[in-house]
Amino acid sequence: MPVTARPTIGVLALQGDVREHAGALERAGARAVPVRRPEELADVDGLVLPGGESTTMSRLLVSFGLLEPLRDRLAAGMPAYGSCAGMILLARQVLDGRPDQQQLGALDIVVRRNAFGRQVDSFEADLEFTGAGGSGEPVHAVFIRAPWVEQAGAGVEVLARVPHTADAGDAADRIVAVRQGSVLATAFHPELTGDERVHRLFVGIAKDAQDAEDAQDAQDADGAEDAEDDVDLVDLEER
Ligand code: GLN
């Protein structure tokens, strides 16, 4: 088994709970660094996209020159975790968004922005969360002007839905946490509750991706050596 170093996880530092995410990542076993510039993005093993306002964050991604580099890294398989506005940015499509807001398209989901109702700024619920560990204890979720997932493609794993509580109303059963490969998203803010199980899940995903990359590098190096051996053989045969 490869021994994985502590992964370096960037926190997109344009808006939102950057410090809280960094703290949760460190407690979950990662090294956390802020990311505002393309050079900083190039150095991380994974990225957290915090909450905020997806329309503003989308604009800031463009003005900081991060949109295309981020799309490239996601397309190349970089692990990412988006919370709330971060989930909206990672989605393929947003409903009730602004027409000019940019989507990263790393998750095959359609999200509805501010889905919990404009009057209801905040909603809390205890969720059953697949893969959160901690002997199956529910995850206490804080939703702040949150989106929900209206459609999820076949490759998307649903990790949590809103339970049928008295105050859930229309929100009952809505999908609020998903994973597709190395990309994770929650409609809520786990960085606010001091429970770092969601961050642990993400750090685990980043470590697995690192192990897979190391194994691939080792295989490529072997392949290169074999190719060199072949060249030597050809040389000998030709002599
Ligand atoms: N309503 C915000 C948006 O549309 C998300 C809110 C949040 O991230 N807490 O982007």
Side-chain angles (χ1 to χ4, degrees):
M1 279 288 282
V3 182
T4 310
R6 220 155 58 112
T8 300
I9 306 290
V11 182
L12 186 64
L14 305 177
Q15 235 196 359
D17 299 332
V18 177
R19 208 161 359 127
E20 288 79 357
H21 276 292
L25 287 166
E26 296 270 348
R27 289 196 301 279
R31 196 169 81 87
V33 295
V35 167
R36 264 183 221 97
R37 296 181 303 141
E39 306 83 82
E40 291 164 341
L41 177 64
D43 280 347
V44 298
D45 300 314
L47 185 71
V48 170
L49 295 88
E53 198 53 52
S54 55
T55 50
T56 308
M57 286 171 82
S58 148
R59 242 185 325 107
L60 293 173
L61 279 174
V62 174
S63 53
F64 280 71
L66 277 169
L67 183 66
E68 288 313 321
L70 181 49
R71 282 198 171 130
D72 290 349
R73 284 227 53 196
L74 289 168
M78 177 184 69
Y81 163 48
S83 152
C84 201
M87 172 190 251
I88 298 176
L89 287 168
L90 288 170
R92 164 171 75 74
Q93 195 191 335
V94 58
L95 306 174
D96 293 340
R98 277 178 49 140
D100 60 345
Q101 96 180 74
Q102 303 281 342
Q103 297 308 121
L104 294 165
L107 284 171
D108 184 12
I109 57 173
V110 179
V111 294
R112 185 171 296 281
R113 192 168 155 247
N114 299 335
F116 286 82
R118 288 180 189 276
Q119 312 86 314
V120 186
D121 279 345
S122 181
F123 170 79
E124 302 193 17
D126 287 324
L127 309 179
E128 275 179 42
F129 194 111
T130 307
S135 59
E137 287 285 298
V139 169
H140 186 70
V142 177
F143 298 89
I144 304 167
R145 290 175 59 75
W148 64 44
V149 177
E150 294 231 339
Q151 278 174 45
V156 177
E157 192 187 349
V158 173
L159 302 182
R161 292 176 184 266
V162 175
H164 288 257
T165 52
D167 57 348
D170 275 1
D173 238 17
R174 293 294 183 169
I175 299 171
V176 287
V178 294
R179 173 177 177 179
Q180 184 174 11
S182 298
V183 182
L184 179 69
T186 63
F188 57 94
H189 291 265
E191 77 282 5
L192 296 179
T193 52
D195 172 356
E196 65 269 359
R197 279 178 293 161
V198 174
H199 290 83
R200 266 185 212 288
L201 173 63
F202 180 57
V203 172
I205 291 172
K207 281 186 182 168
D208 288 348
Q210 242 181 349
D211 285 347
E213 216 173 278
D214 290 350
Q216 186 61 46
D217 287 351
Q219 216 177 27
D220 290 350
D222 274 0
E225 265 173 38
D226 289 350
E228 267 174 39
D229 290 350
D230 288 350
V231 170
D232 290 349
L233 272 182
V234 172
D235 283 354
L236 284 176
E237 278 162 12
E238 278 180 357
R239 264 177 224 155

